[in-house]
Amino acid sequence: MIFNLSWKNFKGQFLNYFVYFVSMTFAVIVYYCFSAITYNRALVKRVGQEIHISGAMNFGGILLIIMVLGFMLAANHFFLLKRRREIDLYHLFGMRKSQISLLFFMETLIIGAASLVVGIIFGVIFSKLFSMILAKAMFLKVESLFSISFPSMMQTALIFVFMLLIVSFRSTWTIYRYRVTSLTKNVEERMIESKKLSKLSFFWAVLGIVLILTGYLLSYYVMPFAVSLNKALGSFTGILLAPLLIMLICMVGTYLFFKYTIYLIVYLIEKNRSSYYRNLHMLALGNTKFHIKKSGRTLSTITIFIAVALGMIGGSASLYTLGMNSVKVTAPTDFIVSEDTVNKLKKKIEAEPNTVIDSSVTLKFKLTGSRFHFKIGQEQKESSLSPINLIALSNYREYQRINPYLKDIQITHEQEAVTLDSLQNILSGFVRYDSVFDLQGGQKLIVKETKPDYLGQDLMRYMMPTLVVSDALYQRIDTGLTYNLTAFNVQTSDEEALTNFLAESIKPNWTSPIYYRYQWIDNQVSGYIKKASQVKEEDLSTIGTDEEEFWQLNYTNHFSDLRYERRVMGLFIYVAMFLGILALIITGSILMLQQFAEAEKEKAKYDLLRKIGVSQKQMTWLVYQQNSIIFFPPMVIGVLHATFAIYVFSKFVSSSGYWLAYLSCGLLILIYLAYYFLTSAIYTRIIRGRDQR
């Protein structure tokens, strides 16, 4: 009997369960495909050992489980509220709580099993498509991507059955913990409050909007805010702490906004008596106040969830662009090689068939001691006493002919110089050098400007600042050390085969150590920089030394770096995009289910309106107005949160891909508008009584 009753209830609640079914099925498909990819040997082997594809997929699976479990618990809560009168009838018919709980368990099991089976079937069908998308994102060429993973089926089934059990136990606990009458008690009776707004509620309402605006203001001035935190904390942790504090402020402000601020706005609108009694405005405002009071926590949670989802989508797209740009910074030509590796590497390349070396340029650097000042953000000047790299302007321009990313530089006076800073590629303007560099030997450099560093991997230059100087000044400097790097391009029929061949014989390694020690004495730089340590071993063991030691990376390979970045960033954007889209679907589904539950409870109210002469057109307007309060504020504030979050990210990391992040905000608006119109149409259908069993 219980099974038959459960089946009848399921058919009667088909509309609500269909939304739940579709969302759950999509989640099962995504989880199965994530899991199946980790068992796809052809794909994992093609990616290689340097990319841990299973770790990324498992981490994405964990986040998916958390999101889906939250959705299932929320949906189950709405189902219980919607069917409170039905539960009361079961109680009057003499059914025990155990039987009622078993009834809900059977319904949960039916819809869960159906979504699980259908999800796995579609997951198997679409697993090749998911794998192709991943392979495309990671620029992989794999012949066969289709596979049926039985371990993934078992893993997906166990995970979702476990979540279904959690939801079932939660509904059982709810039914057993409260009296049945408490479930059937009208929420309206619990929500009745005085029409007067208390002073405490007014304070929280104002504080909510103040916190959100404060978060936005701090986002706009995030760099000065981060520097202020650095000063207060006495360290550079403020750079990381600033975005976290802004996020916390916005989260608290969001909760207060939906809990109190919107209620205050409606309360103030009610004061306008000229429009309050016009048409159905009085009823619309009353419904709005009621739904805001009841759904404040849900709306605030969904808004934060939306902002996080948009951040995942937009941030992943921006990081992908940033990763591709980093290859231009570290490996602007096919190879950049140190002196002790260049001959060996060239012999290996020339031995390969259909491979020719062209466009070779030797970069000649001088390491010399220098004293200079710099600022981090708006912080006070910091002083540094260390070697710097110098390169002649003519050598720089020679390299510019084969390196298209180098910026044009003009030097008009002998003492002028241009600083090349790799941080300008990411944290634009965050690190600023002073205009004067004091060199060992009494020379002074006047910094004309600072430009992004596209000379190549700065680890090959001992991680020192690099300055472009005039040829005359470069020839005159005779202190320090000189070293060369060779940059060249290669014409070959198969870049990947060449890279794999070289990887077996020539490994990236640390070579050519240097040792230096500098002091500022009598307003001059004094000290040394050598290829051998000047400190005796016995002195080092007894008194220590302030001599510094640095090593040089031996070579970089453009294709190797590009392949790595494509695979890492492609994997990241793949996981983030699917999780972000799933999050948007889940949040929209939660709001839709919530409104369906409200429609069932408000049938009697709309029947009364119909009897007193309110037209169907007016009631439809009332439905759309009521749903707009539920869908639009989370959408608008979520987009605003995401927009300012992207702005904060752009101040720390420069990238040309932020338009993709804003495009994701447009995607959210389209999804939520679709949910809004669909929910309003079905809501109208429900209150008309066309879906009655």
Side-chain angles (χ1 to χ4, degrees):
M1 184 186 76
I2 292 179
F3 178 80
N4 293 332
L5 190 59
S6 177
W7 176 248
K8 290 180 180 179
N9 290 331
F10 172 76
K11 291 190 295 183
Q13 300 292 331
F14 176 77
L15 188 61
N16 300 276
Y17 280 126
F18 182 73
V19 177
Y20 181 79
F21 171 79
V22 171
S23 301
M24 285 288 295
T25 301
F26 183 76
V28 173
I29 293 172
V30 175
Y31 186 85
Y32 170 82
C33 291
F34 276 14
S35 178
I37 286 174
T38 63
Y39 291 100
N40 191 320
R41 294 183 179 180
L43 184 60
V44 173
K45 183 179 179 180
R46 188 69 180 83
V47 170
Q49 296 181 353
E50 60 181 359
I51 307 297
H52 299 288
I53 191 171
S54 60
M57 291 301 166
N58 290 334
F59 179 72
I62 292 173
L63 293 179
L64 185 147
I65 291 171
I66 295 173
M67 289 191 296
V68 173
L69 183 59
F71 167 70
M72 293 172 68
L73 292 173
N76 180 259
H77 172 71
F78 293 136
F79 292 155
L80 286 175
L81 287 180
K82 180 179 178 181
R83 299 172 62 184
R84 62 192 188 278
R85 298 184 186 278
E86 183 181 323
I87 295 174
D88 191 22
L89 289 176
Y90 293 154
H91 181 69
L92 293 176
F93 289 158
M95 291 181 63
R96 297 188 300 273
K97 292 181 179 180
S98 59
Q99 292 177 308
I100 298 174
S101 300
L102 181 59
L103 178 64
F104 276 88
F105 174 78
M106 293 294 294
E107 293 180 12
T108 304
L109 185 63
I110 291 172
I111 189 66
S115 61
L116 180 60
V117 172
V118 174
I120 290 179
I121 292 174
F122 278 98
V124 172
I125 295 173
F126 290 107
S127 60
K128 183 174 181 178
L129 176 61
F130 274 63
S131 299
M132 289 175 59
I133 294 173
L134 177 60
K136 188 69 175 178
M138 300 178 71
F139 291 84
L140 297 173
K141 295 180 180 179
V142 185
E143 294 182 359
S144 177
L145 288 171
F146 180 77
S147 63
I148 299 177
S149 176
F150 291 101
S152 297
M153 290 183 183
M154 291 296 298
Q155 180 178 335
T156 305
L158 289 174
I159 290 296
F160 277 83
V161 167
F162 177 72
M163 289 193 290
L164 287 172
L165 290 176
I166 292 177
V167 173
S168 299
F169 287 140
R170 193 247 190 184
S171 62
T172 301
W173 171 256
T174 302
I175 293 174
Y176 268 91
R177 186 172 181 268
Y178 297 100
R179 293 176 302 171
V180 178
T181 53
S182 70
L183 288 171
T184 64
K185 185 178 180 180
N186 287 334
V187 181
E188 289 87 347
E189 296 177 6
R190 299 198 298 265
M191 300 297 296
I192 292 176
E193 295 183 4
S194 173
K195 290 185 178 181
K196 294 183 179 180
L197 192 69
S198 67
K199 293 182 179 179
L200 183 60
S201 297
F202 181 82
F203 170 78
W204 292 124
V206 174
L207 181 62
I209 193 66
V210 168
L211 287 177
I212 291 177
L213 294 177
T214 300
Y216 292 167
L217 184 64
L218 292 176
S219 299
Y220 190 77
Y221 295 102
V222 64
M223 297 307 294
F225 179 51
V227 171
S228 300
L229 289 177
N230 286 341
K231 292 180 179 179
L233 299 174
S235 65
F236 296 119
T237 55
I239 298 175
L240 300 176
L241 192 59
L244 295 178
L245 286 177
I246 293 173
M247 182 177 68
L248 180 61
I249 291 172
C250 288
M251 288 176 63
V252 175
T254 301
Y255 174 78
L256 295 177
F257 180 87
F258 285 104
K259 186 71 175 178
Y260 299 100
T261 308
I262 292 186
Y263 189 81
L264 173 62
I265 294 173
V266 176
Y267 179 81
L268 294 176
I269 294 176
E270 285 182 339
K271 296 297 183 180
N272 186 1
R273 297 299 178 182
S274 60
S275 62
Y276 181 68
Y277 295 104
R278 188 183 305 165
N279 298 327
L280 296 179
H281 289 176
M282 179 174 63
L283 181 59
L285 290 174
N287 281 345
T288 300
K289 288 172 62 179
F290 167 71
H291 289 293
I292 288 172
K293 275 292 184 180
K294 189 173 61 172
S295 306
R297 183 178 300 177
T298 301
L299 294 179
S300 59
T301 303
I302 285 177
T303 302
I304 296 172
F305 217 66
I306 289 172
V308 173
L310 290 176
M312 289 173 62
I313 297 174
S316 63
S318 301
L319 285 178
Y320 187 88
T321 304
L322 180 65
M324 295 301 100
N325 186 65
S326 69
V327 179
K328 302 177 184 177
V329 175
T330 58
T333 57
D334 288 343
F335 292 92
I336 303 177
V337 195
S338 63
E339 291 178 274
D340 58 353
T341 307
V342 61
N343 292 330
K344 180 181 178 181
L345 182 65
K346 283 187 174 181
K347 288 180 180 179
K348 292 287 185 181
I349 293 174
E350 291 170 347
E352 285 294 290
N354 301 320
T355 302
V356 178
I357 296 176
D358 65 357
S359 307
S360 181
V361 172
T362 300
L363 303 175
K364 301 175 182 179
F365 293 97
K366 282 186 178 181
L367 276 174
T368 185
S370 174
R371 181 177 183 265
F372 56 93
H373 299 86
F374 60 93
K375 289 183 178 182
I376 299 179
Q378 305 297 324
E379 189 62 89
Q380 294 181 351
K381 290 183 180 179
E382 298 285 340
S383 178
S384 179
L385 196 61
S386 66
I388 60 173
N389 291 282
L390 300 179
I391 183 173
L393 179 60
S394 60
N395 194 200
Y396 176 88
R397 288 175 175 170
E398 183 184 4
Y399 186 35
Q400 194 175 17
R401 287 196 291 269
I402 68 169
N403 183 350
Y405 309 114
L406 291 179
K407 308 299 181 182
D408 289 331
I409 290 178
Q410 300 294 332
I411 295 178
T412 56
H413 298 90
E414 184 176 312
Q415 299 302 122
E416 280 186 352
V418 174
T419 306
L420 302 179
D421 184 12
S422 59
L423 286 177
Q424 295 295 318
N425 300 300
I426 302 176
L427 302 176
S428 179
F430 189 71
V431 177
R432 299 179 182 179
Y433 292 94
D434 205 356
S435 59
V436 177
F437 278 66
D438 294 297
L439 305 183
Q440 188 177 11
Q443 298 285 345
K444 287 184 179 292
L445 294 179
I446 308 301
V447 177
K448 179 181 180 182
E449 59 182 331
T450 299
K451 287 185 174 294
D453 185 353
Y454 285 97
L455 291 178
Q457 177 62 264
D458 54 6
L459 296 177
M460 301 188 69
R461 287 171 276 143
Y462 301 99
M463 295 181 65
M464 308 296 179
T466 300
L467 283 80
V468 181
V469 298
S470 64
D471 289 18
L473 181 61
Y474 182 86
Q475 295 296 333
R476 196 164 63 247
I477 295 175
D478 56 1
T479 59
L481 295 175
T482 60
Y483 67 95
N484 297 334
L485 299 176
T486 302
F488 58 90
N489 294 315
V490 173
Q491 294 182 3
T492 181
S493 57
D494 193 339
E495 284 185 300
E496 185 165 11
L498 176 63
T499 298
N500 293 336
F501 168 74
L502 295 175
E504 296 177 358
S505 55
I506 301 178
K507 305 291 184 182
N509 199 5
W510 296 101
T511 61
S512 307
I514 61 169
Y515 304 85
Y516 72 87
R517 178 184 180 187
Y518 288 111
Q519 294 177 307
W520 182 252
I521 301 176
D522 297 331
N523 293 323
Q524 286 191 347
V525 178
S526 63
Y528 63 87
I529 179 170
K530 303 288 184 181
K531 293 184 178 181
S533 176
Q534 303 299 299
V535 179
K536 297 180 180 180
E537 186 175 351
E538 56 270 19
D539 295 337
L540 182 63
S541 61
T542 55
I543 61 175
T545 178
D546 55 358
E547 183 183 75
E548 299 288 342
E549 175 184 359
F550 277 94
W551 292 66
Q552 177 191 38
L553 191 65
N554 62 339
Y555 90 103
T556 61
N557 181 338
H558 174 82
F559 183 82
S560 178
D561 289 355
L562 179 63
R563 181 176 61 183
Y564 179 79
E565 290 294 337
R566 280 176 172 176
R567 292 179 179 179
V568 171
M569 293 300 171
L571 181 60
F572 176 76
I573 196 173
Y574 175 86
V575 174
M577 286 291 289
F578 276 107
L579 290 180
I581 293 173
L582 178 62
L584 297 182
I585 292 175
I586 284 177
T587 53
S589 299
I590 289 175
L591 293 180
M592 178 178 279
L593 290 174
Q594 174 183 281
Q595 291 309 99
F596 288 170
E598 293 299 324
E600 290 289 344
K601 292 184 295 184
E602 296 191 352
K603 276 185 179 181
K605 182 188 298 183
Y606 282 96
D607 287 341
L608 180 61
L609 290 176
R610 188 181 297 110
K611 290 177 182 179
I612 63 176
V614 177
S615 67
Q616 187 62 51
K617 182 178 179 180
Q618 288 177 309
M619 287 192 292
T620 301
W621 173 86
L622 186 62
V623 168
Y624 276 83
Q625 187 271 343
Q626 177 177 309
N627 285 327
S628 67
I629 298 298
I630 299 299
F631 280 92
F632 288 172
M635 179 183 72
V636 173
I637 297 180
V639 168
L640 286 175
H641 284 0
T643 301
F644 279 95
I646 294 168
Y647 178 82
V648 169
F649 194 66
S650 68
K651 301 304 291 184
F652 284 91
V653 181
S654 300
S655 172
S656 60
Y658 286 112
W659 66 272
L660 294 172
Y662 295 112
L663 182 63
S664 66
C665 295
L667 176 65
L668 164 80
I669 295 174
L670 292 178
I671 290 176
Y672 263 62
L673 285 176
Y675 268 111
Y676 165 70
F677 285 111
L678 181 61
T679 302
S680 299
I682 297 176
Y683 195 112
T684 304
R685 180 176 179 269
I686 293 174
I687 63 173
R688 289 176 182 175
R690 295 179 184 174
D691 67 333
Q692 291 180 357
R693 285 169 279 177

